[in-house]
Amino acid sequence: MYHGLSLTINLPDALARFAQEQASSGQYSSVSEVVSDGLRLLAERKVQRDAVVSELRRQIAEGAAAADRGDVVDAESVFDEIATRGQFG
């Protein structure tokens, strides 16, 4: 088993009970393992969120560049097209 930095943390009662229940259930070997798994999931979620934000920023920059070139469609034309396809209201 990997032994890393030792930390002391304070958890709200409900989270502490949950962590203890997970360890007691046998799914995890210790409360430390429960906390480590939770932090791994949080890190994965952050990576995914950062990727989404990066892609949105890229798309915004692409749209801004298109607008700067005058390569745009007015909103009325877009809504007319949507209504024609029957995908709006």
Side-chain angles (χ1 to χ4, degrees), residues 27-48:
Q27 185 173 356
Y28 295 93
S29 63
S30 67
V31 170
S32 291
E33 194 176 299
V34 174
V35 173
S36 292
D37 198 31
L39 289 172
R40 272 191 298 277
L41 290 171
L42 181 61
E44 288 173 15
R45 187 170 74 179
K46 183 187 180 320
V47 167
Q48 292 170 349

